Amino acid sequence: MPRQPILSVLGHVNAGKTSFLDAIRESRITEGEAGQITQMIGATEVPLETLEDVCGGLLNQLDTEIEIPGIMFIDTPGHAAFSSLRKRGGSISDIGILMIDIQEGIQPQTEEAIDILKNSGTPFIVALNKVDTVNGWNTDSDLFTEGMREQQDHVQQQVDQRIYEIMGELNDHGIVSDRFDRVDNFQEKVAIVPISAETHVGIPELLMVVTGLSQNYLSDELDIHEGIGKGTVLEVSKEKGMGTTADVILYDGIMESDDTVVYGTSDGVKETEIRALLEPRPLTEIREDKHYSETDKVEPAAGVKISAKDFEGIISGAPIRTASEGKIEEAREEVEDELESLSYETSTHGIVVKADSLGSLEALMTEIEDKDIQVQKAEVGPVNKSDIVKAEDEESEHRAIFAFNVGVTDQAQEALEKDKVKVFQSKVIYEILDGYTEWKQDLKEKERKEKLESVSRPARIRLMPDHVFRSSTPAVVGCEIVNGVLTSGSKLMTPEGDVIGSVKSIQEQNESIDQASKGDEVAVSISGATVGRNVDEGDILVTDINSDDYRVLQELEDLLSSGEKSVLDEIVEVKDRKNPHWKLG
């Protein structure tokens, strides 16, 4: 008999991934989850008897038998977690189930899931969930095909309309699809199975499509090979009385309790002795079941908790092998090869990237490379103080840390209070990337505005009659800003280009200000000016822009008001008449 296939369930938040598995195993893990959303990777083995029970009536209708021993479902909290279920050359998942809300269609995380499924080469089907929410839907049958026939015409039309719309959205992503009972070639078209995790409608058909695909197209992949046990670490945890343990998905080979464990870490390959192989009970979720049974031997595909003598440095998503004495070197080479395929090109400068597993890191780094973001460090684990120190030394747009599904240590949190480094923390890749993009744009805009504040702005001012407070050293005169923006430190000249002096300070109602805009009436202190000698009441003056400031003003032209642009054109004419080469500075 072949091994059971491994299925990963992916989808946007709240699309119904865990509710779907709850419907199959008749458990209520969702109720204990924060916000009704899966918080960590889970694995559930559904045995043959349960498949036959759920699909019973359909099996009789189709006059067929289930040949696989069961199905192992992997419930992923985010699509990067799916990448943790990897092996060299692809994913350990034999089939993906892409969960889509019939009312919402393809959402940002759905797009991420599609990309990851396509990149890993994993065949998949679409579970179109929440068909029971279509207005007017009503049936007592668990079979979608029967339920659909029972609906009124307008309800059938609504369901079909939504299916066609989602077929169109999938087509935009290069995926040819159709409703499962209309698919003529499952190798060329992705099957869409409308279901309701809430009422169980369509679940028998979904399981039958999965079973059919497994038996008809994946028979070679489901062969069990003797020898080295090959797996991927789902989660690492500390168990009372057992120390550090690893929840593992065994996808090929055999694991035996007297084998040596060879595993990957951030520092390379390590090995240790097995203390115990612990299996969860059937129809229980590996992370929820605390009543394991010890076994001497595990065959694929299976979820198993490994208790070992010392799991130093073991991390989620790492490759893991179990081997007898004569096979240990071969196992080490396999783990080394897989770790090599997970190495990333980093730069001398750039952001810091941290993730909860190697697979998550891989998925995030793939997206980062597509965005051309420089990375100086990419590691598994929480954000620590050394990450903050590294980021602090960077240019402003690289003073950032991507924290995918990981926390921040207390020491790092203290260092962060200096507010020099920005941490983008989320369980969703696109939220991190969108947050960084928006922050970087805001940062650039802030830097541009600061740059504009550092130069003389174009301004035309009028010295107001009867408002001379001091005639010289420096002259203090009441001025009206006729146009543009006058800034402290600017030089002033006549409309003929004769330099008068520099703005030492600007005051409004006896308070110093950095700048004054069109329409403002302010007191201006002008060093170098003497009222009655080189300037008189009622005179018009303009700012004298040097070549460096002119280049900055051109670069930041979109930040200038129309008045400033108009005055700048006037200033350029004046300066060009006096010295045609002034712009070369």
Side-chain angles (χ1 to χ4, degrees):
M1 182 180 275
R3 69 166 171 82
Q4 57 190 4
I6 300 171
L7 269 69
S8 286
V9 187
L10 301 90
H12 192 82
V13 172
N14 291 332
K17 303 185 296 293
T18 305
S19 299
F20 161 67
L21 289 177
D22 286 344
I24 294 171
R25 62 181 175 245
E26 296 183 350
S27 66
R28 284 294 174 267
I29 289 171
T30 305
E31 292 174 8
E33 297 282 355
Q36 304 289 291
I37 298 168
T38 310
Q39 299 300 304
M40 55 184 82
I41 303 170
T44 303
E45 290 187 49
V46 181
L48 174 62
E49 298 75 27
T50 304
L51 286 178
E52 289 176 335
D53 185 46
V54 175
C55 298
L58 196 55
L59 288 170
N60 294 333
Q61 279 185 35
L62 300 174
D63 191 25
T64 187
E65 290 183 4
I66 297 177
E67 297 168 10
I68 54 176
I71 296 173
M72 164 162 277
F73 282 97
I74 307 293
D75 176 16
T76 62
H79 310 308
F82 172 78
S83 298
S84 295
L85 310 170
R86 69 185 309 285
K87 59 184 177 183
R88 189 165 174 81
S91 170
I92 68 170
S93 296
D94 300 300
I95 299 174
I97 294 179
L98 181 62
M99 193 72 63
I100 298 178
D101 185 321
I102 194 168
Q103 303 291 2
E104 301 292 340
I106 291 179
Q107 296 172 277
Q109 274 185 284
T110 323
E111 292 182 0
E112 283 186 10
I114 289 169
D115 289 342
I116 290 171
L117 284 165
K118 287 168 72 175
N119 290 339
S120 67
T122 306
F124 65 95
I125 61 177
V126 171
L128 196 56
N129 194 20
K130 305 185 184 179
V131 69
D132 58 306
T133 63
V134 172
N135 192 30
W137 178 273
N138 187 31
T139 181
D140 291 325
S141 175
D142 279 353
L143 298 179
F144 166 77
T145 44
E146 280 185 9
M148 186 70 164
R149 284 195 295 270
E150 294 171 6
Q151 305 308 311
Q152 295 181 36
D153 289 347
H154 74 278
V155 178
Q156 290 189 28
Q157 288 168 8
Q158 280 186 72
V159 174
D160 272 336
Q161 179 63 30
R162 286 303 297 137
I163 292 171
Y164 287 130
E165 287 170 2
I166 285 160
M167 283 170 60
E169 290 179 41
L170 288 167
N171 193 61
D172 291 340
H173 288 81
I175 296 164
V176 180
S177 60
D178 207 342
R179 206 173 85 181
F180 72 100
D181 50 338
R182 298 169 181 160
V183 174
D184 48 6
N185 188 327
F186 284 89
Q187 288 181 297
E188 293 179 359
K189 287 183 181 177
V190 169
I192 299 175
V193 186
I195 70 161
S196 166
E198 184 70 27
T199 67
H200 296 200
V201 167
I203 288 179
E205 285 125 319
L206 180 64
L207 292 178
M208 280 306 301
V209 171
V210 166
T211 301
L213 288 174
S214 301
Q215 292 176 177
N216 294 325
Y217 303 112
L218 298 175
S219 54
D220 290 346
E221 284 86 349
L222 301 183
D223 287 343
I224 297 175
H225 302 101
E226 295 290 331
I228 294 173
K230 303 180 181 183
T232 294
V233 178
L234 286 188
E235 282 188 18
V236 176
S237 58
K238 288 192 181 293
E239 300 284 343
K240 193 173 180 180
M242 290 191 285
T244 301
T245 65
D247 289 347
V248 172
I249 293 294
L250 173 67
Y251 61 83
D252 196 11
I254 311 293
M255 283 188 174
E256 299 195 51
S257 56
D258 56 356
D259 284 345
T260 295
V261 182
V262 181
Y263 60 96
T265 74
S266 297
D267 299 320
V269 183
K270 294 187 178 178
E271 59 186 69
T272 187
E273 296 173 20
I274 293 175
R275 279 183 177 156
L277 296 175
L278 304 162
E279 291 183 309
R281 295 169 299 175
L283 276 182
T284 56
E285 222 275 0
I286 193 171
R287 67 197 159 131
E288 295 291 316
D289 186 23
K290 301 303 179 187
H291 303 285
Y292 301 96
S293 55
E294 190 168 345
T295 183
D296 292 330
K297 184 178 181 181
V298 182
E299 295 187 355
V304 59
K305 181 180 284 290
I306 300 178
S307 170
K309 191 173 180 181
D310 180 17
F311 260 147
E312 185 192 350
I314 190 165
I315 48 180
S316 298
I320 192 164
R321 301 288 185 269
T322 60
S324 56
E325 193 172 338
K327 296 277 188 177
I328 292 174
E329 194 52 44
E330 184 183 338
R332 287 187 68 90
E333 287 174 9
E334 285 188 14
V335 174
E336 279 172 3
D337 286 347
E338 198 161 315
L339 287 175
E340 273 181 31
S341 72
L342 278 166
S343 59
Y344 310 106
E345 196 171 313
T346 53
S347 308
T348 310
H349 298 286
I351 65 165
V352 172
V353 179
K354 303 301 287 281
D356 63 331
S357 73
L358 287 173
S360 299
L361 192 63
E362 180 181 35
L364 183 53
M365 287 298 290
T366 300
E367 295 295 325
I368 286 170
E369 285 167 8
D370 287 345
K371 300 272 185 189
D372 266 349
I373 300 170
Q374 277 189 302
V375 175
Q376 61 157 315
K377 180 182 179 183
E379 283 183 356
V380 171
V383 177
N384 56 45
K385 189 176 179 181
S386 72
D387 299 325
I388 308 296
V389 172
K390 271 187 172 292
E392 276 179 344
D393 289 339
E394 291 299 305
E395 294 293 325
S396 54
E397 71 175 60
H398 290 145
R399 284 191 206 120
I401 297 173
F402 288 6
F404 182 75
N405 211 21
V406 292
V408 179
T409 66
D410 291 343
Q411 278 190 320
Q413 195 65 54
E414 285 176 25
L416 273 175
E417 287 171 8
K418 296 175 185 173
D419 206 28
K420 288 184 180 178
V421 176
K422 179 74 173 174
V423 175
F424 297 90
Q425 198 171 11
S426 178
K427 295 178 181 179
V428 182
I429 289 176
Y430 79 84
E431 285 181 359
I432 290 176
L433 294 173
D434 287 354
Y436 175 71
T437 301
E438 189 177 328
W439 173 77
K440 198 165 77 165
Q441 286 171 346
D442 290 345
L443 194 66
K444 281 187 176 176
E445 198 61 25
K446 184 182 173 186
E447 287 174 350
R448 293 179 83 235
K449 286 177 179 175
E450 287 173 355
K451 193 173 183 181
L452 183 60
E453 287 171 9
S454 71
V455 300
S456 295
R457 304 275 285 271
R460 168 185 272 264
I461 67 172
R462 182 175 72 90
L463 275 57
M464 296 164 64
D466 302 323
H467 280 73
V468 177
F469 306 110
R470 187 159 62 197
S471 60
S472 65
T473 58
V476 180
V477 188
C479 297
E480 177 197 358
I481 312 302
V482 179
N483 213 347
V485 176
L486 181 68
T487 55
S488 185
S490 298
K491 286 185 177 179
L492 295 172
M493 64 180 181
T494 67
E496 291 71 42
D498 298 325
V499 176
I500 298 300
S502 298
V503 176
K504 195 173 178 183
S505 65
I506 305 170
Q507 282 199 335
E508 185 176 42
Q509 296 179 348
N510 295 320
E511 285 194 12
S512 293
I513 57 175
D514 293 326
Q515 62 181 44
S517 302
K518 180 181 178 180
D520 290 344
E521 292 182 356
V522 292
V524 179
S525 171
I526 309 170
S527 63
T530 301
V531 179
R533 192 175 70 187
N534 62 351
V535 69
D536 289 307
E537 296 177 47
D539 279 359
I540 296 289
L541 300 177
V542 293
T543 45
D544 180 8
I545 306 292
N546 63 38
S547 58
D548 290 338
D549 285 358
Y550 175 67
R551 280 190 285 272
V552 172
L553 291 169
Q554 279 191 309
E555 179 191 331
L556 305 175
E557 187 181 12
D558 59 305
L559 298 180
L560 301 181
S561 66
S562 58
E564 285 182 281
K565 291 175 187 175
S566 173
V567 176
L568 184 59
D569 289 341
E570 181 185 339
I571 293 167
V572 169
E573 282 184 30
V574 173
K575 300 278 286 183
D576 280 345
R577 281 198 303 271
K578 294 281 281 186
N579 176 11
H581 305 295
W582 72 277
K583 290 175 190 169
L584 301 176

